[in-house]
Amino acid sequence: MARVKVLLTGATGYIGGTVLSSLLASQSHHIRDISFTVLVRRQEQADKLVSSRVTPLIFSGLDDLELLERVASEHDVVIHTASGFHTASAEALIAGLRKRSADSYYIHTSGTWNLSEASLADLDKDDIIKLEEELQAQRPFSQRATDLRVMSTVAGSRVKAHIIMPPDIYGYGTGPFAKTTPQIEDMARDALKHGQAAYIRNEDGIVGYVHVTDLAALYVVLLDRLLDGDEGVSASGGIYFCSAGTHRWQETTERIGEVGSRSSHLISAVTKAISIDEAAERWSGGNVRDVRMGYCSRFNTKPDKAMDLGWRPRKDQRDWLAWIETSFQAALKSQENDK
Ligand SMILES: NC(=O)c1ccc[n+]([C@@H]2O[C@H](COP(=O)([O-])OP(=O)(O)OC[C@H]3O[C@@H](n4cnc5c(N)ncnc54)[C@H](OP(=O)(O)O)[C@@H]3O)[C@@H](O)[C@H]2O)c1
């Protein structure tokens, strides 16, 4: 069989970099001979990524739809990790794959924020795409719009779409560029700025988490199963959840308070209840909806479909709790560097 060609976007990013390094490390006989094309924006990124199995291609960005379509048409698989919010790039990549005469696979990166406005009962539904349609009809959201466009663009074609929907992601990435995502470090920085960690009054946000290397392992398992020709997997498509556990935001901020007061960097271990408007000002440039989606939702997305593929997260609650401490130390360091 000809060498499988995979196109990856976002290889310099947190998720994409970790996905690429995990794929390159995979010993699966379906994956170890794959050659990858990675789309990057700068020469120095290309210089760092190039290898015997990785061919970087410099492009102007996700708005170069003509290039995305053409390059995708030259690959068997596209893994899009650059953005879950950029609908036009997802469409263009799928349009490229649609030009191929054989079956091809499109693996998309989305996020559970898309479901933050759903009820807990809704999340037990089997058809998450339908749930996204219902939510979208009530209140449009761009990352959700992209998922829906992905599914409608592959309909009736030989392109099979698989959407990976991570919850909050944590841990050090293994790619050569972006190593972390800022969420917890930003919370710690905010606590340092105000002398006390804060949570949103009268809200009890509970959301999932997954370590970035466990998330990347799901892309590897999924690709392996697709290339193995597993009809059940390729035909089912759809959405894959990958929560390895859940955290309560209030407890997470309490831990920041504990870590900070233990080292005398915060005035108190006691956390402060603030209004949602104040939280939006402090954490999200005044965007109340973003804060509501990120910190006030209560949900647990169960990774049953990922587990059916054989995916098993290796990191657990201890790693998550240790990450809060690591993020606090990183915030402290960046505060000291800013002085
Ligand atoms: N991080 C999380 O906690 C999280 C959680 C759930 C879902 N997600 C989803 O995952 C996506 C990626 O997250 P991430 O944390 O990996 O992001 P990231 O670390 O910021 O990486 C983004 C990657 O995409 C590239 N990129 C972004 N915009 C681009 C554009 N307009 N043109 C070309 N390349 C572009 C960046 O290239 P440069 O290096 O050139 O900037 C980088 O390689 C998010 O958009 C979201 O939908 C993320």
Side-chain angles (χ1 to χ4, degrees):
M1 186 185 158
R3 215 175 172 198
V4 173
K5 290 177 73 186
V6 174
L7 174 65
L8 173 71
T9 70
T12 57
Y14 177 54
I15 299 176
T18 310
V19 167
L20 180 63
S21 75
S22 304
L23 286 167
L24 289 171
S26 169
Q27 289 307 308
S28 154
H29 67 279
H30 295 301
I31 295 178
R32 65 183 176 222
D33 292 327
I34 287 179
S35 60
F36 297 92
T37 305
V38 296
L39 288 168
V40 296
R41 291 195 268 196
R42 291 196 298 281
Q43 186 61 49
E44 62 269 26
Q45 298 170 326
D47 293 345
K48 205 157 177 181
L49 286 163
V50 69
S51 74
S52 58
R53 292 177 62 198
V54 179
T55 306
L57 193 63
I58 296 177
F59 76 144
S60 63
L62 295 177
D63 293 318
D64 190 346
L65 305 179
E66 226 175 276
L67 175 137
L68 291 180
E69 184 171 333
R70 178 171 49 76
V71 177
S73 74
E74 294 158 5
H75 291 79
D76 307 289
V77 180
V78 172
I79 304 178
H80 193 21
T81 71
S83 170
F85 295 84
H86 198 284
T87 307
S89 59
E91 264 182 310
L93 291 165
I94 295 168
L97 289 176
R98 283 184 70 120
K99 289 183 172 163
R100 298 181 68 77
S101 52
D103 287 347
S104 59
Y105 304 109
Y106 174 77
I107 301 177
H108 184 73
T109 307
S110 179
T112 53
W113 270 33
N114 291 8
L115 306 176
S116 57
E117 286 151 340
S119 70
L120 279 174
D122 278 345
L123 291 169
D124 280 335
K125 290 180 178 165
D126 286 336
D127 193 343
I128 298 297
I129 295 292
K130 188 155 173 277
L131 174 60
E132 286 203 83
E133 278 167 2
E134 288 162 10
L135 293 168
Q136 192 68 2
Q138 290 157 26
R139 291 201 74 187
F141 177 52
S142 56
Q143 191 179 236
R144 198 156 54 210
T146 309
D147 284 8
L148 295 174
R149 192 63 64 82
V150 163
M151 297 318 287
S152 63
T153 312
V154 297
S157 77
R158 297 186 68 171
V159 185
K160 311 288 179 208
H162 299 261
I163 298 177
I164 293 184
M165 194 182 266
D168 290 352
I169 309 171
Y170 75 98
Y172 285 115
T174 55
F177 294 95
K179 299 282 186 195
T180 58
T181 198
Q183 197 175 26
I184 303 297
E185 194 179 322
D186 284 351
M187 295 289 279
R189 205 174 287 119
D190 175 78
L192 283 166
K193 187 174 165 194
H194 293 88
Q196 203 176 0
Y199 67 95
I200 303 174
R201 188 183 302 123
N202 298 332
E203 297 289 350
D204 186 18
I206 307 174
V207 289
Y209 55 71
V210 65
H211 194 280
V212 66
T213 55
D214 281 331
L215 171 61
L218 176 56
Y219 289 76
V220 177
V221 173
L222 174 59
L223 184 62
D224 189 46
R225 294 291 297 273
L226 291 171
L227 297 179
D228 194 43
D230 190 321
E231 289 280 326
V233 174
S234 73
S236 70
I239 289 186
Y240 296 81
F241 294 140
C242 45
S243 286
T246 56
H247 71 108
R248 291 187 116 84
W249 272 113
Q250 191 169 340
E251 284 169 8
T252 297
T253 47
E254 279 165 9
R255 189 155 179 99
I256 292 173
E258 261 168 52
V259 173
S261 70
R262 208 190 312 136
S263 56
S264 305
H265 289 101
L266 296 180
I267 49 169
S268 167
V270 177
T271 50
K272 185 179 177 200
I274 59 174
S275 70
I276 189 150
D277 291 330
E278 185 180 350
E281 283 309 318
R282 279 165 65 160
W283 306 340
S284 189
N287 189 329
V288 173
R289 186 181 184 199
D290 271 9
V291 167
R292 219 178 264 295
M293 287 201 282
Y295 302 93
C296 306
S297 333
R298 300 183 50 138
F299 61 93
N300 178 15
T301 47
K302 297 184 190 73
D304 298 345
K305 208 167 145 80
M307 295 284 212
D308 287 347
L309 294 177
W311 178 76
R312 298 287 180 273
R314 294 185 172 182
K315 307 283 186 182
D316 60 23
Q317 195 194 22
R318 279 166 303 185
D319 300 286
W320 164 254
L321 294 175
W323 182 249
I324 300 173
E325 181 136 8
T326 303
S327 300
F328 187 86
Q329 299 309 333
L332 201 55
K333 203 167 161 197
S334 83
Q335 191 193 44
E336 278 158 12
N337 289 342
D338 289 347
K339 278 182 190 160

